[in-house]
PDB file of all heavy atoms in Angstrom:
ATOM      1  N   LYS A 319      95.875-129.700  -1.674  1.00 98.00           N
ATOM      2  CA  LYS A 319      96.283-131.026  -1.174  1.00 98.00           C
ATOM      3  C   LYS A 319      95.154-132.040  -1.347  1.00 98.00           C
ATOM      4  O   LYS A 319      95.387-133.199  -1.660  1.00 98.00           O
ATOM      5  CB  LYS A 319      96.670-130.934   0.301  1.00 98.00           C
ATOM      6  CG  LYS A 319      98.039-130.344   0.527  1.00 98.00           C
ATOM      7  CD  LYS A 319      99.083-131.434   0.324  1.00 98.00           C
ATOM      8  CE  LYS A 319     100.476-130.895   0.518  1.00 98.00           C
ATOM      9  NZ  LYS A 319     101.491-131.746  -0.101  1.00 98.00           N
ATOM     10  N   MET A 320      93.938-131.581  -1.142  1.00 98.00           N
ATOM     11  CA  MET A 320      92.817-132.516  -1.274  1.00 98.00           C
ATOM     12  C   MET A 320      92.640-132.923  -2.733  1.00 98.00           C
ATOM     13  O   MET A 320      92.400-134.083  -3.047  1.00 98.00           O
ATOM     14  CB  MET A 320      91.522-131.919  -0.731  1.00 98.00           C
ATOM     15  CG  MET A 320      90.396-132.947  -0.704  1.00 98.00           C
ATOM     16  SD  MET A 320      88.941-132.385   0.160  1.00 98.00           S
ATOM     17  CE  MET A 320      87.881-133.843   0.061  1.00 98.00           C
ATOM     18  N   ARG A 321      92.810-131.961  -3.597  1.00 98.00           N
ATOM     19  CA  ARG A 321      92.709-132.264  -5.035  1.00 98.00           C
ATOM     20  C   ARG A 321      93.758-133.313  -5.405  1.00 98.00           C
ATOM     21  O   ARG A 321      93.457-134.309  -6.074  1.00 98.00           O
ATOM     22  CB  ARG A 321      92.930-130.971  -5.841  1.00 98.00           C
ATOM     23  CG  ARG A 321      92.841-131.181  -7.343  1.00 98.00           C
ATOM     24  CD  ARG A 321      93.292-129.949  -8.130  1.00 98.00           C
ATOM     25  NE  ARG A 321      93.689-130.399  -9.462  1.00 98.00           N
ATOM     26  CZ  ARG A 321      92.919-130.293 -10.542  1.00 98.00           C
ATOM     27  NH1 ARG A 321      91.747-129.724 -10.470  1.00 98.00           N
ATOM     28  NH2 ARG A 321      93.341-130.767 -11.705  1.00 98.00           N
ATOM     29  N   GLU A 322      94.981-133.077  -4.939  1.00 98.00           N
ATOM     30  CA  GLU A 322      96.056-134.030  -5.264  1.00 98.00           C
ATOM     31  C   GLU A 322      95.726-135.419  -4.737  1.00 98.00           C
ATOM     32  O   GLU A 322      95.906-136.420  -5.416  1.00 98.00           O
ATOM     33  CB  GLU A 322      97.383-133.554  -4.646  1.00 98.00           C
ATOM     34  CG  GLU A 322      97.977-132.349  -5.351  1.00 98.00           C
ATOM     35  CD  GLU A 322      99.111-131.711  -4.571  1.00 98.00           C
ATOM     36  OE1 GLU A 322      99.539-132.286  -3.540  1.00 98.00           O
ATOM     37  OE2 GLU A 322      99.564-130.629  -4.980  1.00 98.00           O
ATOM     38  N   TRP A 323      95.213-135.429  -3.510  1.00 98.00           N
ATOM     39  CA  TRP A 323      94.889-136.716  -2.878  1.00 98.00           C
ATOM     40  C   TRP A 323      93.775-137.437  -3.643  1.00 98.00           C
ATOM     41  O   TRP A 323      93.846-138.645  -3.879  1.00 98.00           O
ATOM     42  CB  TRP A 323      94.481-136.445  -1.419  1.00 98.00           C
ATOM     43  CG  TRP A 323      94.019-137.646  -0.662  1.00 98.00           C
ATOM     44  CD1 TRP A 323      94.788-138.646  -0.142  1.00 98.00           C
ATOM     45  CD2 TRP A 323      92.657-137.985  -0.346  1.00 98.00           C
ATOM     46  NE1 TRP A 323      93.999-139.579   0.491  1.00 98.00           N
ATOM     47  CE2 TRP A 323      92.675-139.189   0.377  1.00 98.00           C
ATOM     48  CE3 TRP A 323      91.420-137.384  -0.599  1.00 98.00           C
ATOM     49  CZ2 TRP A 323      91.524-139.817   0.852  1.00 98.00           C
ATOM     50  CZ3 TRP A 323      90.274-137.999  -0.120  1.00 98.00           C
ATOM     51  CH2 TRP A 323      90.327-139.195   0.587  1.00 98.00           C
ATOM     52  N   ILE A 324      92.775-136.671  -4.066  1.00 98.00           N
ATOM     53  CA  ILE A 324      91.658-137.280  -4.816  1.00 98.00           C
ATOM     54  C   ILE A 324      92.181-137.921  -6.103  1.00 98.00           C
ATOM     55  O   ILE A 324      91.810-139.048  -6.463  1.00 98.00           O
ATOM     56  CB  ILE A 324      90.585-136.206  -5.141  1.00 98.00           C
ATOM     57  CG1 ILE A 324      89.814-135.843  -3.868  1.00 98.00           C
ATOM     58  CG2 ILE A 324      89.618-136.680  -6.217  1.00 98.00           C
ATOM     59  CD1 ILE A 324      88.869-134.657  -4.026  1.00 98.00           C
ATOM     60  N   ILE A 325      93.087-137.213  -6.749  1.00 97.00           N
ATOM     61  CA  ILE A 325      93.596-137.730  -8.026  1.00 97.00           C
ATOM     62  C   ILE A 325      94.556-138.906  -7.793  1.00 97.00           C
ATOM     63  O   ILE A 325      94.447-139.946  -8.437  1.00 97.00           O
ATOM     64  CB  ILE A 325      94.250-136.601  -8.844  1.00 97.00           C
ATOM     65  CG1 ILE A 325      93.145-135.594  -9.250  1.00 97.00           C
ATOM     66  CG2 ILE A 325      94.966-137.133 -10.079  1.00 97.00           C
ATOM     67  CD1 ILE A 325      93.655-134.294  -9.808  1.00 97.00           C
ATOM     68  N   GLN A 326      95.436-138.708  -6.796  1.00 97.00           N
ATOM     69  CA  GLN A 326      96.406-139.779  -6.509  1.00 97.00           C
ATOM     70  C   GLN A 326      95.734-141.083  -6.108  1.00 97.00           C
ATOM     71  O   GLN A 326      96.144-142.164  -6.516  1.00 97.00           O
ATOM     72  CB  GLN A 326      97.336-139.361  -5.371  1.00 97.00           C
ATOM     73  CG  GLN A 326      98.612-138.712  -5.849  1.00 97.00           C
ATOM     74  CD  GLN A 326      99.261-137.937  -4.720  1.00 97.00           C
ATOM     75  OE1 GLN A 326      99.014-138.198  -3.544  1.00 97.00           O
ATOM     76  NE2 GLN A 326     100.093-136.971  -5.102  1.00 97.00           N
ATOM     77  N   THR A 327      94.696-140.970  -5.295  1.00 96.00           N
ATOM     78  CA  THR A 327      94.033-142.204  -4.837  1.00 96.00           C
ATOM     79  C   THR A 327      93.058-142.728  -5.884  1.00 96.00           C
ATOM     80  O   THR A 327      92.443-143.773  -5.691  1.00 96.00           O
ATOM     81  CB  THR A 327      93.249-141.957  -3.534  1.00 96.00           C
ATOM     82  OG1 THR A 327      92.456-140.790  -3.724  1.00 96.00           O
ATOM     83  CG2 THR A 327      94.158-141.796  -2.349  1.00 96.00           C
ATOM     84  N   GLY A 328      92.897-142.003  -6.962  1.00 96.00           N
ATOM     85  CA  GLY A 328      92.030-142.472  -8.030  1.00 96.00           C
ATOM     86  C   GLY A 328      90.552-142.295  -7.743  1.00 96.00           C
ATOM     87  O   GLY A 328      89.698-142.914  -8.381  1.00 96.00           O
ATOM     88  N   ILE A 329      90.245-141.397  -6.833  1.00 97.00           N
ATOM     89  CA  ILE A 329      88.826-141.159  -6.527  1.00 97.00           C
ATOM     90  C   ILE A 329      88.137-140.491  -7.713  1.00 97.00           C
ATOM     91  O   ILE A 329      86.984-140.774  -8.026  1.00 97.00           O
ATOM     92  CB  ILE A 329      88.700-140.302  -5.247  1.00 97.00           C
ATOM     93  CG1 ILE A 329      89.131-141.153  -4.043  1.00 97.00           C
ATOM     94  CG2 ILE A 329      87.282-139.772  -5.054  1.00 97.00           C
ATOM     95  CD1 ILE A 329      89.323-140.386  -2.771  1.00 97.00           C
ATOM     96  N   ALA A 330      88.871-139.656  -8.396  1.00 97.00           N
ATOM     97  CA  ALA A 330      88.340-139.058  -9.628  1.00 97.00           C
ATOM     98  C   ALA A 330      89.497-138.681 -10.540  1.00 97.00           C
ATOM     99  O   ALA A 330      90.634-138.516 -10.085  1.00 97.00           O
ATOM    100  CB  ALA A 330      87.514-137.821  -9.287  1.00 97.00           C
ATOM    101  N   LEU A 331      89.166-138.521 -11.800  1.00 97.00           N
ATOM    102  CA  LEU A 331      90.174-138.134 -12.785  1.00 97.00           C
ATOM    103  C   LEU A 331      90.363-136.615 -12.748  1.00 97.00           C
ATOM    104  O   LEU A 331      89.438-135.888 -12.368  1.00 97.00           O
ATOM    105  CB  LEU A 331      89.719-138.554 -14.183  1.00 97.00           C
ATOM    106  CG  LEU A 331      89.544-140.061 -14.366  1.00 97.00           C
ATOM    107  CD1 LEU A 331      88.808-140.355 -15.663  1.00 97.00           C
ATOM    108  CD2 LEU A 331      90.902-140.770 -14.315  1.00 97.00           C
TER     109      LEU A 331
END
Side-chain angles (χ1 to χ4, degrees):
K319 283 278 179 200
M320 187 171 183
R321 180 190 157 100
E322 288 168 8
W323 176 76
I324 287 172
I325 294 168
Q326 267 162 22
T327 49
I329 290 168
L331 298 168

